[in-house]
Amino acid sequence: MRKNFLAFIAFAVFLCAGLSPAQAAPWVIDALDMNIVVRDDNSYVVTETYDVTFNEKRHGIIRELPLLYLGAPGEVRDVKVEGAPFTAWREKNNMVVRIGDADKWADTKTHYILRYIYDVGGDRLRNKDEFVYNLIADYDAPITKMTFRVEMPHPFDVTPLNFTQGERGSVKNDAVEFKVNGAVITGRLKAASRPHELMTIALPLPDGYYTAAVRKQNLGTFICDYWWGFVLGFEALALALWAAVGKNKQIFPSVQFYPPQGVTPAEIGYIIDGSADPMDIISMIIYWAGKGYLTIEEITRKTMLGLGSQKGFMFRKLNNLGSDAKSFEKRMFKEMFAFGDGSEVTTFTLEATHFFLTLDAAAAGVTNLYAAKPETRIYAKGMGWRGALVCLPALLIAALAGFVPTFMSTGDIQNAATSCLLALPFMVAALIYGAMVSSLRTATRKAKRRTIFWCFIVPTLLAAYGVYQGCSLGIGLHIMLLIVGACVLGLLAMCFPIILAFRCSKRTELGDRYMELVLGFKAFLTAAERDKINMLVNENPNYFYDVLPYVVALGVTDKWARNFEELSVPPPDWYRSDTRDRFRANTFAVGIGGSLKNLSDTVSNTVQSSRTSSSGGRAGGTGGSWGGGGSSGGGSAGSGAGGGSGKSW
């Protein structure tokens, strides 16, 4: 009994092993013949002839014919079937043809003839035409025998003609035997095809080959064709909105020899750009020294292992600030020395502590000084809604960046419209970009390098990811480059309105008056004549030191110091140095300005590090253009027009 059972098992295994894939499949295409007559308007009269074996009970077959090519809408019309009743309807991006009777099963051996016109019309290609068609669709059945005949409307160069066969994306091109007679191409598949294997013919043609082709247009193709015009229009809209609600009127400053009366260096930095930066605040140290509140002493400390030295400053308090000092000054002055022993503090200590919190508080105090009351306000209220209004075109560009790639890859205007929701992540990315670019003016040297690096690397990574996704989906090179280009350019284009939004700093009348004085003063500092400098120094021997903190805050130390290369200015009584070199005012100004700039950069990097550490398949199987472009003769299986898919039901 046991021997008989084992023999039965062995016989069953033998039978199963002997079954071919075709015999085991629910249905088999014994023979498929494709006859295509290509017309001069780039439409194809297609006849598909099937000899089918149903190994299981089925009503018939279903063909899905794609309705787009290269992102442009195609058309399937005049559908006819011989051998069985049929129904046809449009479903998303496909024309669905269901062949068979729902009330009865099909015969085991069945013969079908499907005829239709596939109208591509004018394609999206520039400087070339092509005929790229999936002769074998994505069938879920094996094909035992396949033949084809393609009749072109005009003679053509046969050299680049290519056939690819295999799974989607395959570039195998030795599976087809064919010949060309005049404008007619005939051939056959050398071996049987497995389920879901495709075959594509790719024939590059000269531009204008289809003399009667007219590309079909709809709203989606219009937007994709002229997306660059929409982008330029949105950019112009952003510029117009900014000019209307965010741009300041032109200032015509007159030359000023002194800063505005009663304005500190930190405030002058706020007046000129709407923010009190760390360097603006730190320049207050020189300001206080000039008024007799502290001294500045140059010091040196040994670096690690005593192999080098590092220069810095010791600040010694002489007096508390006077009653006329502003509230942000008093707080900063008190807290700065609190990081030391109350009367002395070094730049090394300030760099290693939370001094940046003091700078933040001082910057907020400067802002509050000019924003708390209407009569002192120098920047108009409502900067938030003004910036949001200027950002609106960026949102439209983001929506466009979501719409165009989706429509180009699917041809479905509804899906593309839904993809406009991609505007949100695009907007977030563009806001970050805009903030980064806007910060370049006041960023430290290290931060500038980091910002510029990311400004280049992010679009590069985005493009690489787009190419990877395009290759994985089998999208043709032509359409893939358009999609990647639309995404990257869309991201960059959004930055312009956002940068303008960051520059929405509408001044009040008081702000315009202050700006006239500040710009006039800055103009004098950068282009002063030696004779005028001599006159001012003769009138006020302390002029150099009275102006120095404002020079540092305005970032024009180098230009200002050149005016004193030949002038004899005594060293200030508030500065100590162990250097024995002859004192030169210009060298002193550049040196102390650079040292305080280093302190500002170090503190800025500390705050950034501290804050960082505390925050924690397309439907229907249709494709775009075949890979490599029309002139290469290359391509991959499943990347042409037509084809679609087939299955039993």
Side-chain angles (χ1 to χ4, degrees), residues 49-69:
T49 303
Y50 298 87
D51 288 318
V52 177
T53 297
F54 292 111
N55 296 317
E56 298 178 2
K57 288 184 178 181
R58 293 289 190 271
H59 297 287
I61 64 175
I62 295 177
R63 279 287 279 122
E64 293 185 352
L65 304 169
L67 297 175
L68 72 148
Y69 179 57

Side-chain angles (χ1 to χ4, degrees), residues 54 56-60 101-108 110 649:
F54 292 111
E56 298 178 2
K57 288 184 178 181
R58 293 289 190 271
H59 297 287
D101 191 336
D103 296 327
K104 65 179 183 180
W105 304 114
D107 296 335
T108 302
T110 307
W649 67 290

Side-chain angles (χ1 to χ4, degrees), residues 552-567:
V552 172
L554 292 172
V556 294
T557 308
D558 290 348
K559 294 180 179 179
W560 169 249
R562 292 194 195 104
N563 297 309
F564 292 85
E565 289 178 352
E566 300 176 2
L567 292 180

Side-chain angles (χ1 to χ4, degrees), residues 183-399:
V184 178
I185 307 167
T186 57
R188 68 180 183 88
L189 196 62
K190 294 179 182 179
S193 173
R194 292 178 295 183
H196 303 294
E197 289 188 338
L198 304 97
M199 186 179 80
T200 301
I201 178 175
L203 176 59
L205 298 164
D207 190 35
Y209 179 86
Y210 300 111
T211 59
V214 177
R215 191 160 72 87
K216 304 179 185 306
Q217 285 278 10
N218 61 18
L219 178 61
T221 57
F222 178 78
I223 293 174
C224 290
D225 283 345
Y226 299 103
W227 64 268
W228 53 269
F230 284 100
V231 170
L232 292 178
F234 294 148
E235 302 280 34
L237 176 61
L239 190 60
L241 290 172
W242 177 71
V245 302
K247 183 182 179 182
N248 287 298
K249 74 175 186 179
Q250 188 173 359
I251 297 295
F252 299 97
S254 58
V255 174
Q256 303 292 319
F257 305 135
Y258 286 91
Q261 188 174 5
V263 173
T264 65
E267 295 168 64
I268 210 170
Y270 174 81
I271 290 170
I272 205 164
D273 61 14
S275 65
D277 304 315
M279 193 58 193
D280 302 334
I281 303 298
I282 289 176
S283 65
M284 292 294 296
I285 295 174
I286 305 177
Y287 177 77
W288 292 326
K291 289 186 172 295
Y293 296 119
L294 58 82
T295 62
I296 302 175
E297 180 181 345
E298 185 178 315
I299 58 175
T300 303
R301 72 171 180 180
K302 295 291 185 181
T303 57
M304 187 177 295
L305 303 179
L307 299 178
S309 61
Q310 183 180 10
K311 288 189 176 182
F313 291 114
M314 168 77 76
F315 304 129
R316 287 192 175 91
K317 183 170 69 172
L318 300 179
N319 298 294
N320 290 322
L321 297 186
S323 59
D324 59 338
K326 296 171 183 178
S327 57
F328 80 89
E329 288 188 75
K330 294 177 180 178
R331 176 175 177 177
M332 178 185 167
F333 189 85
K334 179 180 178 181
E335 291 185 3
M336 183 178 75
F337 284 104
F339 286 111
D341 63 3
S343 61
E344 294 181 351
V345 66
T346 67
T347 52
F348 305 126
T349 300
L350 296 177
E351 291 170 359
T353 57
H354 289 74
F355 183 53
F356 66 86
L357 296 176
T358 298
L359 298 184
D360 281 351
V366 173
T367 301
N368 187 64
L369 192 64
Y370 288 97
K373 300 178 181 179
E375 61 270 19
T376 61
R377 187 179 296 277
I378 62 174
Y379 287 97
K381 291 190 67 175
M383 288 299 110
W385 71 261
R386 294 171 193 268
L389 186 61
V390 176
C391 269
L392 180 60
L395 184 63
L396 298 176
I397 294 173

